[in-house]
Structure formats: C-alpha cells, structure tokens
Amino acid sequence: MTRRPYHSPRREAQAAATRREILDAAAKLFAEQGYPATTMGAIAKEAGVALKTVYVGFETKGGVLRALWNRTLRGDEEVPVADQPWFREALDDPDPERQLRLNARNSRLGKERLGVVGQVVRAAAPTDPEIAALWERIQDNYRENQRAIVESVAAKGALRAGLDVERATDALWALNNPDVWHLLVGLRGWTAVEYERWCADTAVSQLLG
C-alpha cells in the first residue's frame, strides 16, 4: 500500500511565517551590522528561533542573504522577474520609446526596493566567495532581462542603425547597473526621479534610430 504524502496547511503556514521572521531578522542585522559581523546565531536570536531552525532552512549565512535577495526582488511568492507584471508591461508595450522609459522606471523602483539588501550583497561580494557567486548571478540575470527588452525593441526595427542586439544590451545593462545608481544617487546625491529621467533619456538617445 502506497502511503499518501502528509499535507498540513497549518504547518506549512507556520513554516512560512518562521521563514519570514528569520529573513526579517537578517535584513535588520545586515543593515545595522553589515554582513561580515552578522552571525547565524545572532539571526536566530533576533528572530526568536533555534539556531538549528536557521541552518535547516538556509544552510549557510550566504543562503540567508540569497533568500533575502530573492524575496526582496520577487516578493513572497518568488515570481520570476520575467513574469512580474511590471516587467511584462515594459516588454509588451508596442512603442519602443515607451518600453525604454518603462524600463528606466522599473530600474529606479527596483533600486529603491532592493536598497539596503543590494548594498549588502555588493559590499560582501569581494570577500566572500558564496556572495561573489550570488553577485555574479544577479548581474547575469539582470543583463538577460535587459536583453529581453532590447530584443523586443529590435523586433520592431527600432534599434539605431549599426547597433546590434549584443551591443545594445551591453549599453542598457550598464546604464541601469546598480553601480551607476550607487555613483549618481548614493555618492552624487541625485534624486531617484532624476536618475530615472536620465536613464530613460540616455537609453532613448543611444538605442533608438
């Protein structure tokens, strides 16, 4: 006789709540202390759970930060960026210029939403191999998302003459890169709206024919 898998909605809800509490605690400590100084034990204490619970759920501190990044980027349901309504809006818009302006809006909103978590990942990457791999994956994924926008623009015959998809993708990826946000907003004091407008205007002038 085949044993039916046990399914408990209450237990699953409790597990999800515990996961949120751990990630909330980690976000608080990473922001206050930085990634290197935050221990798994400190995260467990802040979340009010056993240390074993944190290890079972995430395995490593890098696993905690990776899960925190994914939740901040995708939401609790972890919907991939390519399926998020805000990304689909930019990808599916029939007007190439509006696509690039919506993409700049999404870039600005994403930087604001990811905020401290993005800074933690960026700062920890040079000294932690696990986080370096996460940062590289983030960059690769972001470039692929920018490529999808460029391919949609190119399919409409709207790319500037002599500009191919690869070079256009590089340009759009660099323009909307977190490092540029850090330079202009973090160091030079631009407002988020000024950043969005500059990204949009520059993308339109550089990519469209």
Side-chain angles (χ1 to χ4, degrees), residues 3-204:
R3 179 176 296 178
R4 298 177 61 186
Y6 177 71
H7 174 68
S8 171
R10 178 179 294 181
R11 182 170 295 180
E12 290 175 0
Q14 290 174 340
T18 298
R19 183 179 177 85
R20 286 194 297 271
E21 289 166 1
I22 292 171
L23 292 179
D24 288 344
K28 178 177 182 292
L29 294 177
F30 289 152
E32 292 176 352
Q33 303 176 176
Y35 180 80
T38 300
T39 65
M40 293 287 269
I43 293 171
K45 183 178 179 180
E46 180 70 29
V49 301
L51 178 57
K52 180 180 179 180
T53 302
V54 183
Y55 275 107
V56 168
F58 302 95
E59 297 185 356
T60 65
K61 186 170 66 170
V64 175
L65 183 54
R66 183 170 58 251
L68 181 60
W69 169 270
N70 287 335
R71 186 186 72 168
T72 308
L73 178 65
R74 303 173 179 176
D76 285 327
E77 300 302 319
E78 300 234 346
V79 177
V81 169
D83 296 327
Q84 293 279 354
W86 46 266
F87 184 78
R88 298 303 312 182
E89 181 186 10
L91 189 64
D92 297 337
D93 195 284
D95 180 73
E97 178 174 341
R98 181 160 173 79
Q99 283 186 284
L100 295 178
R101 294 193 180 280
L102 287 171
N103 190 63
R105 178 208 63 184
N106 291 344
S107 176
R108 187 259 301 174
L109 292 175
K111 305 298 189 300
E112 290 179 320
R113 183 173 65 255
L114 292 163
V116 173
V117 178
Q119 293 174 21
V120 169
V121 175
R122 182 176 181 275
T127 58
D128 187 302
E130 187 174 4
I131 304 307
L134 171 62
W135 182 245
E136 183 177 356
R137 180 172 62 82
I138 288 169
Q139 294 296 321
D140 289 344
N141 289 345
Y142 192 63
R143 188 183 184 281
E144 285 305 305
N145 291 334
Q146 296 302 287
R147 182 187 177 92
I149 298 292
V150 169
E151 287 177 339
S152 180
V153 170
K156 300 177 178 68
L159 281 185
R160 179 167 52 83
L163 185 63
D164 62 22
V165 167
E166 285 300 318
R167 185 56 61 90
T169 297
D170 287 343
L172 196 60
W173 172 72
L175 190 61
N176 290 282
N177 195 277
D179 285 346
V180 176
W181 168 271
H182 174 70
L183 288 172
L184 297 180
V185 178
L187 297 182
R188 296 303 305 158
W190 286 30
T191 68
V193 172
E194 287 172 333
Y195 165 85
E196 177 186 338
R197 184 182 303 118
W198 175 79
C199 278
D201 291 346
T202 306
V204 168

